[in-house]
């Protein structure tokens, strides 16, 4: 009842200050964001993402248009312009989904007759593998270096390489999330950078929240290499609430600090120009090469579907192809006999 009353007051306010002829999509979008914020039902990180979509994609091309001028044809042409920018299908779907939510609210307030996003066609692109994986030699070099240079930030790299964790999950990890006795890491939190409302949206701050999806809540078995490193740090008698990747004072490291440390490390070792997220790709590929079931890999990575794991994170290496061809050779030898 309270929500309905609030919404009714908001609708009346919109009609009072704007008419159908004067209200632009940009002005209405800002009111829509303000209402979402006042409701307090959406996470700050999600709200920040909504605002980013509006400011980065909607306002530049559609912001000056009157609401009643945003027709289905206009939206379809907008989709085509987004496709020309080579954006991912999921990104375009997110943009149009946000526009649809805004236009649906405009329908509910009586400012337009129907939602123009109802029959929009978005061409689905085949998801392709992104990122790259560390070569075996680069992985060995990096692992040996990390073992010889004990530091919380070195441990962060190991968590990416041997547990396939996202950098935000690593930054938010606490010792109470690690079960050394049973050998599991429990992913329960994530760090995201969101705009700081106190700084006029000009600066961003770290915010610890829940993982990005329900599947991202998961338990990751600890490998023997990672177990050894975790036990070394655990001996320091840190409190359960303490961050694993923490400064001397106990506060969590910024995600950007972890990224800079990784970049500095691979530069020192003269490795290829890898990104931190490539550690996650490497973990997935090595797991597949070891014979691990794709469903298990997907569960460990926290993916909603195995197709995401297969199409984006699994890289087929020449070494793996050669290993698989050996299996074919063995089968052929049983059929035709050994080659002369």
């Amino acid at each position: 009842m309270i929500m309905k009353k609030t919404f009714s007051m908001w609708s009346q306010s919109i009609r009072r200050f704007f008419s159908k002829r004067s209200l632009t999509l940009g002005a209405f979008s800002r009111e829509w964001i303000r209402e979402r914020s006042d409701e307090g039902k959406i996470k700050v990180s999600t709200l920040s993402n909504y605002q980013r979509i509006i400011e980065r994609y909607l306002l530049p091309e559609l912001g000056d248009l009157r609401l009643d001028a945003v027709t289905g044809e206009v939206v379809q042409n907008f989709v085509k312009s987004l496709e020309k920018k080579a954006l991912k299908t999921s990104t375009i779907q997110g943009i149009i989904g946000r526009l649809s939510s805004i236009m649906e609210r405009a329908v509910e307030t009586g400012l337009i007759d129907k939602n123009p996003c109802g029959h929009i066609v978005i061409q689905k692109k085949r998801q392709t593998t992104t990122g790259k994986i560390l070569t075996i030699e680069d992985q060995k070099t990096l692992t040996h270096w990390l073992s010889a240079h004990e530091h919380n930030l070195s441990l962060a790299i190991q968590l990416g390489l041997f547990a396939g964790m996202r950098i935000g999950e690593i930054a938010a990890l606490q010792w109470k999330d690690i079960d050394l006795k049973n050998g599991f890491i429990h992913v329960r939190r994530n760090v995201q950078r969101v705009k700081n409302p106190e700084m006029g949206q000009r600066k961003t701050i770290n915010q610890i929240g829940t993982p990005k999806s329900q599947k991202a809540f998961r338990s990751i078995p600890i490998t023997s290499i990672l177990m050894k490193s975790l036990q070394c740090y655990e001996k320091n008698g840190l409190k359960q609430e303490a961050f694993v990747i923490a400064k001397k004072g106990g506060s969590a490291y910024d995600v950007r600090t972890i990224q800079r440390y990784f970049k500095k490390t691979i530069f020192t070792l003269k490795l290829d120009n890898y990104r931190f997220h490539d550690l996650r790709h490497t973990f997935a590929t090595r797991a597949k090469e070891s014979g691990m079931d794709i469903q298990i890999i997907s569960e460990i990575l926290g993916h909603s579907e195995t197709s995401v794991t297969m199409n984006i994170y699994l890289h087929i290496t020449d070494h793996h192809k050669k290993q698989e061809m050996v299996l074919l050779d063995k089968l052929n030898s049983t059929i035709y006999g050994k080659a002369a």
Side-chain angles (χ1 to χ4, degrees), residues 64-333:
D64 293 333
L65 293 179
R66 298 191 320 270
L67 277 176
D68 58 357
V70 183
T71 62
E73 183 180 359
V74 169
V75 177
Q76 190 64 68
N77 288 333
F78 175 52
V79 168
K80 290 179 181 178
S81 73
L82 294 174
E83 290 172 341
K84 288 179 181 178
K85 294 177 182 178
L87 296 176
K88 293 180 181 178
T89 301
S90 58
T91 300
I92 297 175
Q93 288 172 337
I95 295 169
I96 299 306
R98 214 45 45 223
L99 176 60
S100 180
S101 297
I102 293 169
M103 299 308 285
E104 190 60 36
R105 185 52 59 94
V107 172
E108 293 170 357
T109 56
L111 292 167
I112 57 175
D113 296 327
K114 66 177 182 177
N115 189 338
C117 303
H119 301 285
I120 299 304
V121 177
I122 300 174
Q123 297 295 330
K124 288 188 176 181
K125 300 176 185 176
R126 184 180 179 276
Q127 288 182 305
T128 55
T129 303
T130 58
K132 55 186 175 182
I133 65 167
L134 277 67
T135 64
I136 294 293
E137 287 306 314
D138 283 353
Q139 187 171 340
K140 285 181 179 179
T141 299
L142 178 61
T143 302
H144 290 322
W145 190 91
L146 293 172
S147 299
H149 294 77
E150 288 189 8
H151 192 284
N152 279 3
L153 293 172
S154 294
L155 182 58
I157 296 174
Q158 291 181 326
L159 287 165
L161 184 59
F162 297 116
M165 294 176 67
R166 300 177 177 93
I167 192 168
E169 297 168 343
I170 294 170
L173 192 66
Q174 297 178 345
W175 281 107
K176 64 183 179 182
D177 303 322
I178 299 179
D179 181 358
L180 292 177
K181 181 179 179 180
N182 294 305
F184 282 96
I185 295 171
H186 302 290
V187 180
R188 296 164 176 157
R189 280 169 296 279
N190 186 50
V191 169
Q192 288 183 312
R193 292 201 68 85
V194 299
K195 291 187 177 181
N196 186 356
E198 297 180 2
M199 299 297 292
Q201 302 294 331
R202 293 180 181 178
K203 291 188 177 181
T204 57
I205 56 174
N206 274 337
Q207 183 184 65
I208 297 179
T210 55
K212 61 183 295 185
S213 67
Q214 194 58 40
K215 275 286 187 179
F217 285 91
R218 62 198 189 279
S219 296
I220 303 173
I222 302 173
T223 62
S224 56
I225 293 177
L226 189 55
M227 176 65 79
K228 185 177 179 181
S229 296
L230 287 170
Q231 286 174 333
C232 288
Y233 286 94
E234 199 267 341
K235 289 177 183 177
N236 296 332
L238 297 169
K239 294 180 179 179
Q240 288 292 293
E241 289 73 23
F243 289 99
V244 176
I245 312 302
K247 304 174 186 177
K248 287 184 178 180
S251 60
Y253 272 107
D254 188 286
V255 166
R256 292 175 179 175
T257 302
I258 298 174
Q259 290 172 327
R260 285 195 292 268
Y261 182 83
F262 176 70
K263 281 292 183 183
K264 183 179 178 181
T265 299
I266 62 172
F267 178 79
T268 300
L269 297 175
K270 295 181 172 58
L271 304 183
D272 200 353
N273 188 30
Y274 298 110
R275 304 171 306 152
F276 191 93
H277 199 69
D278 291 333
L279 298 173
R280 186 167 157 86
H281 285 259
T282 303
F283 169 83
T285 301
R286 298 288 177 253
K288 179 61 177 148
E289 289 177 342
S290 72
M292 190 182 296
D293 182 77
I294 184 63
Q295 182 68 46
I296 300 299
I297 299 174
S298 187
E299 289 282 341
I300 291 174
L301 292 176
H303 288 154
S304 57
E305 298 178 359
T306 55
S307 59
V308 175
T309 310
M310 290 188 293
N311 295 333
I312 299 178
Y313 282 86
L314 294 186
H315 301 244
I316 306 301
T317 64
D318 287 342
H319 175 70
H320 191 202
K321 285 186 286 187
K322 193 169 183 179
Q323 282 184 320
E324 295 299 305
M325 197 63 79
V326 168
L327 298 178
L328 180 59
D329 268 342
K330 289 181 178 179
L331 175 62
N332 286 337
S333 66

Side-chain angles (χ1 to χ4, degrees), residues 33 46-58 91 95 195:
I33 275 285
T46 302
L47 199 63
S48 179
N49 183 51
Y50 288 174
Q51 188 157 354
R52 181 186 64 82
I53 289 174
I54 290 171
E55 293 177 355
R56 185 172 181 178
Y57 298 108
L58 299 185
T91 300
I95 295 169
K195 291 187 177 181

